[in-house]
Amino acid sequence: MNNFKAIIGIEVHTELNTRSKMFSSSPVSSYDEVNTNINEIDLGLPGILPSPNKEAVIKGIQLATALGMKIDTNLCFDRKNYFYQDLPKGFQITQQYHPIGRDGQVIINDKKINIERIHLEEDTAKQIVIDGDLCLDYNRCGVPLIEIVSQPDIDTPKQAVGYLMELKRNLIFLNISDGKMEDGSFRVDVNISVAPIGSKTLGTKVEIKNINSFVSVSRAIEYEFDRQVRQLLKGEFVAQETRRWDDAKCQTVFMRSKSDAIDYRYFREPNIVEMDISHLVPEAQKNMNELPSVIRNNLIHNGVADNVVNQLLDDYAAYKAFKYVNSKLNNPGVVITWILVELPSLLRSNTKTYESLSYEFLDRAIAMLRLLINQEINGKQAKTIFEKMYNSSKDASSLIKELGFEQIKDPTLIENYLTKYLELNKEMVAQYKERPERVEKFFIGLLMRDTKGQANPNVAIELLKKLLH
């Protein structure tokens, strides 16, 4: 087994989060009632004239820019001719000959994975089996897609998953797609062959279709590598075919032979004229969100740990919450503790996600964290306030009064406490010159115990040092 290597290429189809479809004005939504977001263009009725969606074209330019690709400013489309029940026109409009982007790359742990092309096209209807009958939901028919085709530069399942995660981050952070594999808006096909290490001849390529999770991508590659190597070691021929991943059986399953490949008879789409989109490129690039790679570098520069960086890049809503709060406080350590550590438990207990957070709540959280940073409240009090604030519309100031967390700032009152402690603990006072920090911590601890944490620490430490000296 160790004498063989895997040669892996990946094709990704991602649905764009545009308001309307690729060539019609029908709205795009994954959650509307079936067969309601359709019109004559989606159904391929006679006399239709499709028109490209400008928003989808701009998103294509932005993705090409993010991946460092050459952008083809001559926008044109082709027909991919085949008949299937989920394709009402009898052909799909795509970009076979002039993809919007060519020759890009993604870098994963210093490994460069080249991307051959990305192209715009339309999706097909969704197939649903109900009581043994094949039913079609045309809401998905015509939804804008970008197909992303890598070169066979991937060697391992780990690299494959890393590549897909980086693609997904770009799509989500640039607001191109929601990247939800569970909803079918990020679909993965893997092409894999094996060959002896050192061989210049590639093995027979096998395609694995529509894998629906990153875990399944890794397992499918591992299984298929093992299957092909075992066949070669037994002197058997690896057939060129299309297989699917069976999650229940944890194995790839034969679908069809590649020798049955369809001749799609591509030709230029006659109902869409060629367009010069060079004027759209500056507009698209000017309005791009921050790239995940730039965000990563900025976070690391500000001392954020790698695991926290990955946590933020894997959840765009969490990153937006973190960014908004930190833009007001400029204190990444405190923001990480409360937005990435304390807040998730509250969200889970209420079966909510970061998407549910409002700026109104985040503004109240910012006000509370300012009080904590300024030592107007302590950490234990802040935790109680944070939870009650999340479950109500109350702000930190009103909760401090309600909970009796108002601080004692009267110097005379605090000095009375400290004077009593010094009189009762003269042996500890005698250690002050040798161990000042320990002594200060001891007396401040007594004060916080007796005042239930309500003594202002800044006033207390200043008075204590004065008394000790």
Side-chain angles (χ1 to χ4, degrees), residues 67-70 101-105 115-117 151:
L67 299 176
M69 308 188 91
K70 299 171 187 173
R102 288 186 185 272
D103 302 328
Q105 63 182 31
I115 299 174
E116 179 187 322
R117 55 188 278 151
Q151 296 282 10

Side-chain angles (χ1 to χ4, degrees), residues 15-156:
E15 289 184 356
L16 308 188
N17 57 358
T18 54
R19 289 163 291 183
S20 57
K21 294 185 179 180
M22 187 67 230
F23 299 108
S24 82
S25 59
S26 296
V28 172
S29 174
S30 300
Y31 306 107
D32 288 352
E33 187 178 351
V34 297
N35 292 319
T36 55
N37 297 333
I38 50 178
N39 67 13
E40 61 278 2
I41 294 177
D42 308 325
L43 296 176
L45 299 181
I48 61 168
L49 281 175
S51 178
N53 183 336
K54 178 183 175 182
E55 188 184 2
V57 173
I58 286 175
K59 289 180 185 293
I61 293 169
Q62 290 175 334
L63 181 59
T65 301
L67 299 176
M69 308 188 91
K70 299 171 187 173
I71 298 169
D72 192 334
T73 56
N74 180 38
L75 182 73
C76 53
F77 292 89
D78 307 295
R79 281 192 186 183
K80 180 181 182 181
N81 296 278
Y82 67 98
F83 178 78
Y84 202 66
Q85 56 262 38
D86 62 4
L87 195 69
K89 295 194 290 286
F91 61 87
Q92 180 190 35
I93 302 177
T94 182
Q95 290 186 308
Q96 175 67 11
Y97 301 115
H98 290 274
I100 196 165
R102 288 186 185 272
D103 302 328
Q105 63 182 31
V106 165
I107 297 176
I108 307 294
N109 297 326
D110 298 326
K111 165 76 174 181
K112 184 169 75 171
I113 298 169
N114 292 296
I115 299 174
E116 179 187 322
R117 55 188 278 151
I118 65 169
H119 60 261
L120 294 162
E121 59 187 23
E122 58 181 342
D123 210 344
T124 58
K126 185 176 182 179
Q127 302 181 61
I128 307 166
V129 177
I130 301 175
D131 297 330
D133 294 325
L134 181 63
C135 303
L136 297 170
D137 178 10
Y138 284 96
N139 284 354
R140 198 180 75 177
C141 187
V143 169
L145 288 179
I146 289 180
E147 182 173 352
I148 307 162
V149 183
S150 83
Q151 296 282 10
D153 293 337
I154 300 167
D155 305 320
T156 65

Side-chain angles (χ1 to χ4, degrees), residues 156-205:
T156 65
K158 185 177 179 180
Q159 282 180 11
V161 171
Y163 165 76
L164 291 170
M165 287 179 67
E166 193 63 22
L167 275 186
K168 184 177 176 179
R169 287 168 175 171
N170 276 285
L171 292 166
I172 294 172
F173 275 64
L174 292 175
N175 193 30
I176 292 171
S177 170
D178 63 21
K180 293 181 178 177
M181 296 183 84
E182 64 274 18
D183 288 344
S185 56
F186 188 88
R187 310 197 288 270
V188 178
D189 299 338
V190 172
N191 295 300
I192 176 171
S193 63
V194 300
I197 291 174
S199 171
K200 294 182 180 180
T201 304
L202 298 181
T204 304
K205 181 174 68 176

Side-chain angles (χ1 to χ4, degrees), residues 96-357:
Q96 175 67 11
Y97 301 115
H98 290 274
I100 196 165
R102 288 186 185 272
D103 302 328
Q105 63 182 31
V106 165
I107 297 176
I108 307 294
N109 297 326
D110 298 326
K111 165 76 174 181
K112 184 169 75 171
I113 298 169
N114 292 296
I115 299 174
E116 179 187 322
R117 55 188 278 151
I118 65 169
H119 60 261
L120 294 162
E121 59 187 23
E122 58 181 342
D123 210 344
T124 58
K126 185 176 182 179
Q127 302 181 61
I128 307 166
V129 177
I130 301 175
D131 297 330
D133 294 325
L134 181 63
C135 303
L136 297 170
D137 178 10
Y138 284 96
N139 284 354
R140 198 180 75 177
C141 187
V143 169
L145 288 179
I146 289 180
E147 182 173 352
I148 307 162
V149 183
S150 83
Q151 296 282 10
D153 293 337
I154 300 167
D155 305 320
T156 65
K158 185 177 179 180
Q159 282 180 11
V161 171
Y163 165 76
L164 291 170
M165 287 179 67
E166 193 63 22
L167 275 186
K168 184 177 176 179
R169 287 168 175 171
N170 276 285
L171 292 166
I172 294 172
F173 275 64
L174 292 175
N175 193 30
I176 292 171
S177 170
D178 63 21
K180 293 181 178 177
M181 296 183 84
E182 64 274 18
D183 288 344
S185 56
F186 188 88
R187 310 197 288 270
V188 178
D189 299 338
V190 172
N191 295 300
I192 176 171
S193 63
V194 300
I197 291 174
S199 171
K200 294 182 180 180
T201 304
L202 298 181
T204 304
K205 181 174 68 176
V206 172
E207 181 183 36
I208 312 171
K209 295 287 285 184
N210 289 336
I211 311 174
N212 60 10
S213 74
F214 290 160
V215 171
S216 294
V217 167
S218 181
R219 289 175 178 171
I221 291 172
E222 289 173 357
Y223 177 87
E224 190 58 27
F225 175 79
D226 185 79
R227 186 188 73 85
Q228 292 185 31
V229 169
R230 289 184 184 279
Q231 281 193 265
L232 293 174
L233 290 173
K234 289 189 288 186
E236 296 176 356
F237 176 72
V238 176
Q240 186 175 358
E241 60 193 19
T242 299
R243 301 175 73 88
R244 65 177 176 83
W245 174 248
D246 189 318
D247 266 320
K249 296 179 180 178
C250 282
Q251 65 183 47
T252 60
V253 179
F254 175 82
M255 287 179 65
R256 59 180 176 268
S257 171
K258 277 291 189 179
S259 60
D260 301 329
I262 301 168
D263 178 8
Y264 292 115
R265 306 187 316 281
Y266 288 100
F267 62 83
R268 188 63 54 81
E269 169 55 53
N271 289 327
I272 302 176
V273 297
E274 295 182 23
M275 287 172 274
D276 180 3
I277 58 168
S278 56
H279 64 289
L280 291 181
V281 175
E283 175 189 342
Q285 293 175 338
K286 180 182 177 182
N287 294 319
M288 285 176 65
N289 292 345
E290 281 183 298
L291 294 175
S293 57
V294 174
I295 292 170
R296 174 183 287 280
N297 290 337
N298 288 339
L299 290 171
I300 291 172
H301 178 73
N302 284 299
V304 179
D306 279 346
N307 64 315
V308 177
V309 172
N310 289 329
Q311 182 182 350
L312 289 168
L313 293 180
D314 287 337
D315 190 333
Y316 184 50
Y319 169 72
K320 286 198 296 183
F322 167 84
K323 181 182 179 182
Y324 180 74
V325 175
N326 195 52
S327 69
K328 309 291 185 182
L329 298 177
N330 193 26
N331 192 325
V334 168
V335 178
I336 287 168
T337 298
W338 291 91
I339 300 302
L340 298 184
V341 179
E342 296 294 339
L343 182 55
S345 62
L346 294 176
L347 293 171
R348 284 192 297 272
S349 64
N350 289 272
T351 62
K352 300 286 187 181
T353 65
Y354 279 102
E355 282 84 355
S356 66
L357 294 175

Side-chain angles (χ1 to χ4, degrees), residues 386-405:
F386 196 55
E387 182 176 352
K388 290 186 176 295
M389 196 166 61
Y390 177 82
N391 291 309
S392 71
S393 59
K394 297 177 181 179
D395 60 24
S397 297
S398 60
L399 284 168
I400 287 170
K401 292 178 182 177
E402 182 181 306
L403 296 167
F405 288 166

Side-chain angles (χ1 to χ4, degrees), residues 362-381:
L362 292 177
D363 285 333
R364 287 188 287 133
I366 289 165
M368 186 209 78
L369 292 176
R370 284 202 176 105
L371 294 173
L372 178 63
I373 290 167
N374 294 330
Q375 297 186 311
E376 296 289 317
I377 53 175
N378 60 40
K380 186 177 179 181
Q381 292 170 336

